[in-house]
Amino acid sequence: MPSIDAKSTNRACHSGQADFNLSGGVSPRWPRFATIGQMTPTPMMKQYLDAKQACPDAILLFRMGDFYELFFDDAKTVAKVLNLSLTSRDKGENPIPMAGFPYHQLESYLGKLVAAGYRVAICEQVEDPREAKGIVRRELTRVVTAGTVTDDHLLDPRACNYLAAVLPGTTVGMAWVELSTGRFQAASLPPGRLADELARVDPAECLIEEAAIGDTAAGQTAALVAREKMLVTQRPAWFFSRAAAVESLCKHFGLNSLEGLGFDEQTDGPAICAAGAILEYLKETQRQSLDHIDRLTPYRVGQTLELDESTRRSLEITKTLREGRREGSLLATIDRTATGMGARLLGEWVANPLTDIAQIELRLDAVGELAADSLLTADLFERLRGVYDVQRLLTRVSTGRATPRDLSFLGRTLRSLPQIKAKLAARKSELLSRLEESLDLCPDIRSKLDSALVDDCPLTSRDGGFIRPGYHGPLDDLRELASGGKQWIAQYQATEIARTGIPSLKVGFNKVFGYYLEVTHTHGQKVPDEYIRKQTVKNAERYITPELKEYEEKVLSADEKCKDVESQLFVELRELVAQGGKRLKSAAEVLAQLDVLVSLAELARQRGYCRPKLTDDRTLRIVDGRHPVLDIVLTQGAFVPNDVTCGADDGLVMLITGPNMAGKSTYIRQIALITLLAHVGSFVPARRATIGVTDRIFARVGASDELSRGQSTFMVEMIETARILNTASERSLVILDEIGRGTSTYDGLSLAWSVVEFLHDRVGCRTFFATHYHELTDLQKSLPAVRNLNVSVREWNDQVIFLHKIIEGAADKSYGIHVARLAGVPQEVNERAKQILAQLEQTHLDGQSRGSGAKISKTRRGGDLQLTLFAPAEHPLLQQIRAIDLNQTTPLAALQLVAEWQKAAQSSRGDTDS
């Protein structure tokens, strides 16, 4: 992603100091334009430079006729990124680099530039070249960045695309907006929560204040934001001014105070500042109405089940760990939604699980009722498939970018609402009843769109042809004229025949003379005096009349007038939709919720999920639980279900031992994911499930490092473990996998042991700890809430069979060498490992210390590795020591014995005194 230094350019842009010395070249502060030298720019190039001055930190696409042109460094950059030909303008002593592409390819090239991390300013022709006096007037119409995209072809319909703003401090301000739908939220956070919230929101672009020199908090926040995979955009400090933010937000929402939105201007100051910065940035980049952003909602930490950055990554909730893609994640696996609105809302539900049992039960009641009626669910799903993305369509309407086809999509969606509302009538669940009641059918808007628009509207309004015949009488007349006015021509011809008495008279048309009257030579003497002769042809003369000429002018201008009238009617329809925007947005929210509930019901029905029972304690009992992703990815019946029994009476800390690849990590992950799904309001992959409400889920799974931050794998592991120990409560669910494996055996074992004790004694939360440290299983004897579990295996014909079944008790082996063989480690290495393992185990059984320096034999005979199989014989000195009677031995006698032993030892080594 390219790095754009916006500090000086932004300051200059907003202070009005980014001036150009157009009479004698360009000011030295803009080195990219130095190639102009002492040339006086042409009017067109002056227009370009003025546009560039208004947005210096963006790539400028400058519309010139049927092309978008780029100049100077922009041309060089874009030619490289888009693989365009780089040419030059004003060839000679000071050629100007130039590149360009046809205007109709804007969507494709704009997407590539934004994906590459560039800000793109679009300068359009805002005047008809035919009417322009002199150079065509051009204006910057918008600036497109990763976080301000609203074009359908640049957006994933199933994912939100957030623009965020972060203001550092003792309390961090954070705000985020989804411009394509208008969703706008803000929060004041403790600094330690910022990383987690950025991971939850996952913005495409983040605004930060230009960090002041020596401002440690600002610098740390900027570093944190920069390490995420997002476009980072710096803005001047005044963007984040509290007074300016309050004034701007109140003006935008038409309020006297932000308290009406749920904000306290004192305690929520940082959040308000961040929200103000976003609104200011949108005004700068969009340059059009932002009326679709009609709410700013406060986000309060603690109102939902909290998931930190590491947990979201480890559990692959919305993205896969390796590739960072939606496909393969929990969200993608459970998604059965029919609309983009529903898919995005499902993502919000999964990223923000509930903790209020009453709210969870509302969702479960609705899912249960839908799942029990497969015909209803299937019917609703089919009707929802005919629903378009109303939220994003409304944004395009509000911003003036809607097309006739967009309005026709709204009309089709509104046609589906009566049937959907009827299907929701008389439902038993409270949530479905609420949705039915609040679903506004918007009949006035629907009838207007249905009567005005043809079934298949074009993509653009400039070509016309989208207003239904009969909707507007004057337009029908113009269309009749534009199509040649056959009826008028026939009537005029009949009138002239009757008036002149010339039976063979006819009206014709050609491109040279337009409309004409043709009279054969036979009736030449009957031609009236007002006929004006225009052409002689074989056997006939052609004439025009003032009336016919007037009609011809009407016909020739009718096509343009048709387009103008249709454009005017389109604007009226668009305004009608915009005025009903709040009602339509409310209907869209109902459809999105219904889509998610139908999706979860269909998932439960297809996969045999059960309804979880939520309790207000630390219970966790699952019968035949399955991993929600692997259960679908693997072939039918391949996944082995497992039970979970955990709670105050059943043990809170579960130590799971067993061989590699047996399924320990899968087991603990599925427990966390089942718990999360229950809090979302979804049925869960199990036969039965009772789940105590959880405030936070922690997952420390897998190994990773942060080399760019100077952190090793073990350091990352310890940081994440420390965070769990410091923030978990007795209501939390903690899953840990192989804690302590990143250091020496004794260090790691000691840390793992201490972590288990701390979670047991000080936290008291539900904990599932998968480990290869079999020594930890002894903790069950001393800690009353610890239970040992292991993954069952069977050995047969020198093979190990993984049963993937969790049973009570501790494992006795790890089978690591067997797993190495399965992974393709050379046979020689595996055989040698077996020999070493045998000797180490024997040494351990003989009671010898691992630190004694016992040697592993590496003697080779005939190419084979030989291992010493027997422990060394007892030294004779030990027998002599045992035979000494210490009570009868004087100090002098003891010294004499030591001297004798020393002499004997030197003699046995062949040592001699010098």
Side-chain angles (χ1 to χ4, degrees):
M1 184 173 293
S3 163
I4 300 175
D5 180 10
K7 292 184 180 180
S8 59
T9 54
N10 288 335
R11 275 195 294 267
C13 176
H14 293 290
S15 64
Q17 296 174 359
D19 59 313
F20 292 89
N21 183 4
L22 297 177
S23 61
V26 179
S27 170
R29 75 170 59 125
W30 302 108
R32 68 181 70 179
F33 302 128
T35 52
I36 293 181
Q38 297 301 313
M39 295 169 52
T40 300
T42 64
M44 190 280 297
M45 285 306 297
K46 183 180 184 304
Q47 200 177 53
Y48 170 85
L49 294 172
D50 289 342
K52 187 66 182 178
Q53 173 185 353
C55 203
D57 58 345
I59 299 289
L60 178 62
L61 303 183
F62 190 73
R63 180 73 178 269
M64 294 178 64
D66 290 338
F67 284 81
Y68 285 104
E69 301 289 2
L70 302 103
F71 302 98
F72 305 104
D73 287 355
D74 283 359
K76 296 178 183 178
T77 299
V78 171
K80 206 175 285 186
V81 174
L82 301 181
N83 196 26
L84 300 176
S85 296
L86 183 65
T87 61
S88 61
R89 180 182 176 87
D90 297 333
K91 296 178 174 60
E93 204 172 308
N94 293 294
I96 300 173
M98 181 176 73
F101 55 84
Y103 78 96
H104 58 80
Q105 294 180 343
L106 174 63
E107 292 184 354
S108 171
Y109 287 131
L110 181 60
K112 292 177 182 178
L113 288 171
V114 172
Y118 291 98
R119 292 162 49 84
V120 183
I122 301 175
C123 186
E124 293 283 6
Q125 295 178 174
V126 293
E127 186 179 20
D128 189 335
R130 294 171 300 182
E131 300 176 1
K133 296 180 180 179
I135 190 169
V136 176
R137 188 162 57 90
R138 295 176 174 86
E139 290 180 2
L140 279 172
T141 56
R142 58 175 170 149
V143 179
V144 182
T145 66
T148 61
V149 172
T150 57
D151 308 72
D152 268 0
H153 62 282
L154 300 180
L155 291 170
D156 180 352
R158 309 188 77 79
C160 294
N161 188 74
Y162 283 112
L163 166 70
V166 172
L167 179 65
T170 53
T171 298
V172 175
M174 180 176 169
W176 55 99
V177 66
E178 223 276 338
L179 184 59
S180 69
T181 62
R183 185 176 184 191
F184 194 11
Q185 289 184 284
S188 294
L189 310 166
R193 289 285 303 169
L194 178 59
D196 295 342
E197 293 306 316
L198 285 173
R200 181 183 63 83
V201 175
D202 191 23
E205 180 181 3
C206 188
L207 309 178
I208 61 173
E209 183 183 3
E210 292 173 355
I213 297 176
D215 188 339
T216 304
Q220 290 175 346
T221 301
L224 172 64
V225 172
R227 85 167 192 253
E228 303 295 332
K229 294 181 179 179
M230 68 182 83
L231 176 66
V232 178
T233 302
Q234 294 189 29
R235 277 298 175 261
W238 66 263
F239 253 62
F240 294 84
S241 162
R242 180 179 298 193
V246 171
E247 180 182 356
S248 179
L249 292 168
C250 286
K251 181 179 179 181
H252 178 79
F253 294 111
L255 302 171
N256 292 325
S257 167
L258 295 179
E259 291 182 5
L261 299 175
F263 290 93
D264 184 308
E265 293 184 13
Q266 298 302 316
T267 59
D268 290 321
I272 293 170
C273 291
I278 282 184
L279 192 59
E280 192 65 36
Y281 186 66
L282 292 180
K283 290 177 183 176
E284 173 192 300
T285 58
Q286 300 308 292
R287 299 168 184 259
Q288 61 204 354
S289 169
L290 298 173
D291 290 345
H292 67 292
I293 303 176
D294 55 8
R295 276 181 294 181
L296 174 61
T297 307
Y299 175 83
R300 304 300 182 193
V301 175
Q303 292 182 342
T304 59
L305 188 153
E306 296 181 26
L307 302 161
D308 63 22
E309 180 185 15
S310 171
T311 300
R312 291 180 188 276
R313 185 176 65 248
S314 298
L315 296 180
E316 299 184 301
I317 295 173
T318 57
K319 293 181 180 180
T320 56
L321 185 60
R322 179 168 296 180
E323 298 177 345
R325 299 175 58 189
R326 189 178 191 270
E327 294 75 16
S329 67
L330 171 70
L331 175 59
T333 304
I334 67 171
D335 188 357
R336 301 288 190 280
T337 54
T339 70
M341 297 183 295
R344 295 194 298 273
L345 182 60
L346 177 61
E348 290 290 327
W349 284 17
V350 170
N352 300 275
L354 302 174
T355 55
D356 185 289
I357 293 182
Q359 295 299 315
I360 297 172
E361 293 291 349
L362 283 177
R363 292 181 182 178
L364 291 174
D365 287 344
V367 172
E369 184 173 359
L370 291 170
D373 192 337
S374 59
L375 292 177
L376 172 63
T377 304
D379 194 3
L380 284 171
F381 180 77
E382 282 303 313
R383 296 189 185 282
L384 286 168
R385 286 181 63 185
V387 167
Y388 290 87
D389 198 333
V390 177
Q391 293 170 334
R392 287 184 172 172
L393 289 174
L394 288 175
T395 296
R396 291 203 289 279
V397 168
S398 175
T399 56
R401 297 198 192 113
T403 67
R405 186 168 294 181
D406 290 335
L407 296 189
S408 72
F409 288 164
L410 281 171
R412 292 183 196 179
T413 298
L414 293 177
R415 277 180 236 159
S416 303
L417 297 191
Q419 293 84 2
I420 292 174
K421 190 177 182 72
K423 291 293 179 182
L424 292 177
R427 292 297 118 199
K428 295 178 181 178
S429 69
E430 183 180 343
L431 181 53
L432 291 178
S433 297
R434 286 184 192 173
L435 294 179
E436 187 273 334
E437 184 179 348
S438 57
L439 182 58
D440 188 343
L441 300 181
C442 304
D444 51 333
I445 300 175
R446 173 196 167 191
S447 62
K448 196 75 171 178
L449 294 177
D450 280 350
S451 61
L453 299 173
V454 299
D455 293 333
D456 188 15
C457 286
L459 279 172
T460 63
S461 60
R462 64 175 174 268
D463 296 327
F466 53 85
I467 297 296
R468 193 182 295 276
Y471 175 73
H472 189 266
L475 176 61
D476 292 339
D477 294 341
L478 287 171
R479 283 175 171 170
E480 177 67 20
L481 279 173
S483 63
K486 292 181 180 179
Q487 184 178 353
W488 188 92
I489 292 294
Q491 184 177 354
Y492 180 72
Q493 181 174 294
T495 300
E496 289 302 296
I497 289 173
R499 186 171 72 86
T500 62
I502 304 174
S504 60
L505 182 148
K506 64 180 181 180
V507 179
F509 177 84
N510 68 30
K511 294 181 179 179
V512 177
F513 296 110
Y515 285 99
Y516 58 82
L517 294 160
E518 186 173 285
V519 180
T520 61
H521 293 315
T522 305
H523 300 284
Q525 70 278 9
K526 299 180 181 180
V527 174
D529 294 340
E530 65 268 21
Y531 278 26
I532 303 171
R533 193 175 71 82
K534 294 294 293 182
Q535 185 184 20
T536 301
V537 295
K538 185 179 180 181
N539 299 325
E541 296 287 341
R542 291 176 176 175
Y543 303 87
I544 61 170
T545 65
E547 186 179 7
L548 189 60
K549 200 64 182 173
E550 181 183 353
Y551 176 76
E552 177 186 307
E553 292 175 359
K554 290 181 180 179
V555 169
L556 294 178
S557 64
D559 189 54
E560 286 300 319
K561 289 182 179 178
C562 278
K563 293 178 182 178
D564 292 341
V565 171
E566 283 200 76
S567 178
Q568 181 181 348
L569 293 174
F570 171 70
V571 171
E572 292 175 2
L573 290 172
R574 193 175 63 193
E575 287 300 316
L576 173 71
V577 171
Q579 290 169 10
K582 288 188 177 181
R583 295 165 59 202
L584 290 166
K585 182 179 284 191
S586 175
E589 291 171 356
V590 171
L591 292 173
Q593 286 189 64
L594 180 61
D595 193 12
V596 173
L597 294 172
V598 170
S599 170
L600 294 176
E602 186 65 14
L603 174 71
R605 191 184 63 80
Q606 289 178 356
R607 305 302 305 177
Y609 283 16
C610 76
R611 174 172 179 159
K613 179 182 178 183
L614 278 298
T615 62
D616 195 23
D617 55 25
R618 291 178 290 175
T619 299
L620 188 56
R621 293 191 182 93
I622 300 171
V623 178
D624 288 343
R626 312 186 300 276
H627 191 291
V629 177
L630 296 181
D631 183 45
I632 293 177
V633 171
L634 299 179
T635 56
Q636 185 72 27
F639 189 86
V640 178
N642 274 296
D643 299 343
V644 178
T645 303
C646 179
D649 299 327
D650 304 302
L652 290 169
V653 180
M654 303 294 161
L655 291 175
I656 305 112
T657 51
N660 288 297
M661 286 182 60
K664 300 190 302 297
S665 295
T666 298
Y667 177 67
I668 63 176
R669 278 184 170 99
Q670 82 183 36
I671 292 169
L673 292 177
I674 288 173
T675 301
L676 185 146
L677 284 176
H679 286 74
V680 167
S682 168
F683 281 28
V684 298
R687 189 151 54 89
R688 288 194 306 276
T690 302
I691 298 172
V693 172
T694 306
D695 63 351
R696 298 189 68 161
I697 295 177
F698 293 95
R700 162 88 275 282
V701 179
S704 63
D705 53 31
E706 296 280 356
L707 296 182
S708 63
R709 298 162 61 192
Q711 295 178 351
S712 67
T713 300
F714 183 64
M715 174 59 79
V716 172
E717 177 184 324
M718 287 299 100
I719 289 174
E720 293 175 358
T721 302
R723 187 171 192 184
I724 294 171
L725 299 180
N726 289 321
T727 56
S729 75
E730 66 173 13
R731 288 282 188 176
S732 300
L733 171 64
V734 174
I735 66 168
L736 300 170
D737 192 14
E738 304 299 350
I739 293 296
R741 299 290 287 184
T743 185
S744 69
T745 302
Y746 288 152
D747 274 357
L749 174 58
S750 301
L751 283 167
W753 189 296
S754 181
V755 166
V756 173
E757 287 184 339
F758 187 91
L759 289 170
H760 179 280
D761 297 337
R762 300 285 296 278
V763 181
C765 64
R766 290 159 289 184
T767 302
F768 292 82
F769 194 124
T771 183
H772 280 293
Y773 292 133
H774 292 181
E775 294 87 344
L776 295 179
T777 58
D778 289 340
L779 285 169
Q780 182 173 343
K781 301 173 183 177
S782 59
L783 301 179
V786 170
R787 299 290 185 273
N788 285 325
L789 303 174
N790 75 93
V791 191
S792 181
V793 299
R794 293 290 183 269
E795 295 185 58
W796 182 71
N797 287 345
D798 198 31
Q799 298 291 318
V800 175
I801 302 172
F802 300 121
L803 301 181
H804 304 295
K805 198 70 179 176
I806 303 295
I807 60 176
E808 292 185 1
D812 56 355
K813 294 183 180 180
S814 291
Y815 298 96
I817 294 175
H818 175 78
V819 174
R821 179 178 63 80
L822 294 178
V825 172
Q827 184 178 358
E828 180 181 349
V829 174
N830 277 286
E831 292 302 320
R832 173 62 176 158
K834 289 180 181 179
Q835 294 169 354
I836 296 171
L837 177 63
Q839 180 167 338
L840 291 174
E841 288 178 340
Q842 182 63 44
T843 300
H844 180 72
L845 290 174
D846 288 344
Q848 294 187 28
S849 168
R850 295 186 184 185
S852 65
K855 295 182 179 180
I856 304 298
S857 173
K858 298 183 71 172
T859 306
R860 297 174 181 266
R861 289 183 183 175
D864 294 331
L865 293 171
Q866 299 297 321
L867 190 69
T868 301
L869 299 179
F870 302 101
E874 187 176 86
H875 198 283
L877 181 61
L878 294 176
Q879 298 176 0
Q880 295 180 36
I881 293 174
R882 291 193 188 100
I884 296 173
D885 185 354
L886 293 179
N887 293 326
Q888 301 296 324
T889 304
T890 65
L892 181 60
L895 289 173
Q896 289 175 341
L897 285 172
V898 171
E900 291 175 2
W901 293 339
Q902 187 180 46
K903 184 176 180 181
Q906 291 173 346
S907 176
S908 65
R909 291 200 310 267
D911 295 342
T912 57
D913 295 334
S914 56

